[in-house]
Amino acid sequence: MTTSSETSRLALIDKVIDQMKELKSDSILEDCPIGIISMENWEWPQGVGLFSLYLYYKETGRRDILDYLRQWFDNQIAQGLPDKNINTMCPMLTLTYLYEELQDERYLKLCREWGHYAMNEQPRTKEGGFQHTVSGHLNEGQLWDDTLYMTVLFVARMGRLLQDDSYVQESVRQFLVHLKYLTDPATGLFYHGWTFVEKHHYAKALWGRGNAWYTAGLVDYLDMADIPEAVRVFLLSSLERQAHKLAELQAESGMWHTLIDDPSSYVETSATAGFAYGILKAVRKGYLDPAFKPVAVKALNAVLAQIDENGVVNGVSYGTAVGSTLQSYKDVPLCPMAYGQSMALLALVESLKHELAE
């Protein structure tokens, strides 16, 4: 039987989805060479939004969600797709699933084309890491924690879609290389970036949303790819260590700061939602001890408090490049974003699978 709390969350989910679809670019903030607010564009924020919508479709079977995804991709294909890079790869993750649903050969052809690029043409750092190329910037020699979510999940999915283990092994390699250079050994959290050119972690920022890409991404990655058990244990041990530190640094409100270890930085909703989702799912799957569930529930409630009556998720930081100073992270403006809506959606949908106190 559906409880009143579940009914309320279902209604809120619809509002969050509607607002994700309706977000429009803000001329004050949208001064970068790409469009990262409106769902009408093809970039990483839209890719994160599409994936959350697909997971909600699989949970509910709602045909209107599937129809929206089909129409979105068909419109983009008709307009012509952008150049390939780490961030523009993100929507391709959802397209692998959409192909399985609809068996549209156009989708498979695109998946093959972009997968081949990732495997064979994507610029690399030393040790074969995916260089974090973005629209307008090659970022030579740079590893960013964002890459795991934006491209590596897609690569893993291509392994399953094509029944080609080389894609899976490449995804494993990318996780290991990124964790090798981005893990802070003192805390178990992840630095935003590493440069092989200058050999440093920039401002040594333990950035909230960047960490959330790991927390939220790993629990789905393990559903996507059959990886060696030793690697699986290693990745989960990294998640557990991260979760312990997150529990320690969670604000009284349930949120996390945009610089996780810096209480003078503002609290940020998309990271908090990503942590809530990842920890809740990890507990449900047995990846984390149930003792972590109250941490995730507290975070979920904090995210709910950031959603207004229309379904707009507030307190979300704008797109954030690797910064040379910690202050640069504190100065990133707050603005409703597709990934804020989608990460809240992920947390809300996952919460429906858990018994929560009324």
Side-chain angles (χ1 to χ4, degrees):
M1 185 175 74
T2 303
T3 67
S4 60
S5 176
E6 289 171 332
T7 300
S8 175
R9 272 178 278 156
L10 287 168
L12 186 58
I13 284 170
D14 282 339
K15 290 183 178 181
V16 169
I17 290 173
D18 288 344
Q19 289 296 333
M20 183 196 306
K21 295 177 182 177
E22 296 301 320
L23 287 178
K24 300 299 180 185
S25 296
D26 186 323
S27 60
I28 297 175
L29 290 177
E30 199 75 313
D31 59 355
C32 58
I34 58 174
I36 66 172
I37 296 180
S38 169
M39 282 298 291
E40 296 173 1
N41 301 307
W42 178 297
E43 259 291 345
W44 68 270
Q46 295 80 20
V48 178
L50 295 166
F51 184 52
S52 71
L53 287 172
Y54 175 76
L55 292 182
Y56 186 50
Y57 158 71
K58 290 303 289 184
E59 184 68 21
T60 63
R62 281 179 47 177
R63 189 74 193 188
D64 62 312
I65 302 292
L66 184 65
D67 289 343
Y68 173 82
L69 293 172
R70 176 188 54 77
Q71 184 179 40
W72 190 92
F73 278 102
D74 286 352
N75 288 342
Q76 294 290 332
I77 292 169
Q79 294 172 23
L81 303 190
D83 291 339
K84 301 176 182 69
N85 59 53
I86 290 296
N87 283 345
T88 58
M89 204 78 64
C90 190
M92 297 304 299
L93 173 62
T94 303
L95 193 60
T96 66
Y97 290 103
L98 203 59
Y99 167 71
E100 289 182 333
E101 294 285 342
L102 302 176
Q103 294 296 301
D104 188 323
E105 290 300 316
R106 296 176 304 154
Y107 298 165
L108 179 59
K109 181 180 179 181
L110 280 173
C111 290
R112 286 182 181 276
E113 176 188 330
W114 285 61
H116 181 272
Y117 178 88
M119 292 286 284
N120 300 287
E121 300 175 47
Q122 167 62 40
R124 306 264 182 150
T125 67
K126 291 180 179 178
E127 300 189 34
F130 284 161
Q131 181 172 305
H132 194 84
T133 55
V134 299
S135 300
H137 298 280
L138 285 175
N139 294 332
E140 182 182 354
Q142 296 181 22
L143 293 177
W144 294 20
D145 52 12
D146 317 43
T147 298
L148 295 175
Y149 202 99
M150 305 312 162
T151 290
V152 178
L153 296 187
F154 165 61
V155 169
R157 269 292 298 165
M158 287 302 294
R160 180 163 293 181
L161 188 67
L162 301 179
Q163 294 298 297
D164 185 340
D165 188 57
S166 67
Y167 282 85
V168 176
Q169 296 307 317
E170 184 61 54
S171 74
V172 168
R173 177 189 191 183
Q174 293 305 319
F175 265 90
L176 296 181
V177 170
H178 280 74
L179 264 63
K180 176 180 179 179
Y181 284 97
L182 297 180
T183 301
D184 171 26
T187 64
L189 300 175
F190 304 110
Y191 293 118
H192 190 180
W194 166 263
T195 167
F196 279 99
V197 177
E198 300 175 29
K199 297 180 175 57
H200 59 65
H201 290 108
Y202 298 91
K204 295 186 176 181
L206 300 174
W207 177 49
R209 189 163 60 242
N211 271 265
W213 293 134
Y214 185 77
T215 320
L218 179 64
V219 292
D220 290 327
Y221 174 65
L222 295 177
D223 289 341
M224 297 174 188
D226 296 320
I227 61 176
E229 179 63 16
V231 175
R232 178 179 175 277
V233 170
F234 174 77
L235 296 179
L236 286 175
S237 69
S238 295
L239 175 66
E240 182 177 17
R241 186 143 187 258
Q242 182 200 42
H244 275 290
K245 195 64 178 179
L246 289 174
E248 177 186 329
L249 295 175
Q250 187 175 29
E252 185 60 35
S253 65
M255 300 277 278
W256 280 275
H257 295 268
T258 198
L259 293 171
I260 299 175
D261 60 338
D262 184 353
S264 71
S265 66
Y266 58 72
V267 293
E268 204 277 325
T269 308
S270 67
T272 300
F275 293 139
Y277 169 70
I279 295 172
L280 274 176
K281 183 170 179 178
V283 168
R284 176 171 60 83
K285 300 281 285 189
Y287 302 150
L288 288 176
D289 189 278
F292 284 102
K293 185 173 180 178
V295 174
V297 173
K298 187 176 182 180
L300 173 68
N301 288 333
V303 170
L304 294 177
Q306 293 292 323
I307 304 175
D308 70 20
E309 66 275 9
N310 297 315
V312 175
V313 180
N314 293 300
V316 176
S317 65
Y318 193 66
T320 306
V322 165
S324 59
T325 68
L326 294 177
Q327 186 62 41
S328 68
Y329 290 86
K330 300 178 184 182
D331 293 340
V332 173
L334 297 169
C335 173
M337 301 293 292
Y339 51 80
Q341 300 293 127
S342 63
M343 294 176 94
L345 174 61
L346 289 174
L348 280 164
V349 174
E350 178 61 30
S351 76
L352 297 174
K353 303 175 184 180
H354 298 257
E355 290 188 12
L356 302 178
E358 291 281 342

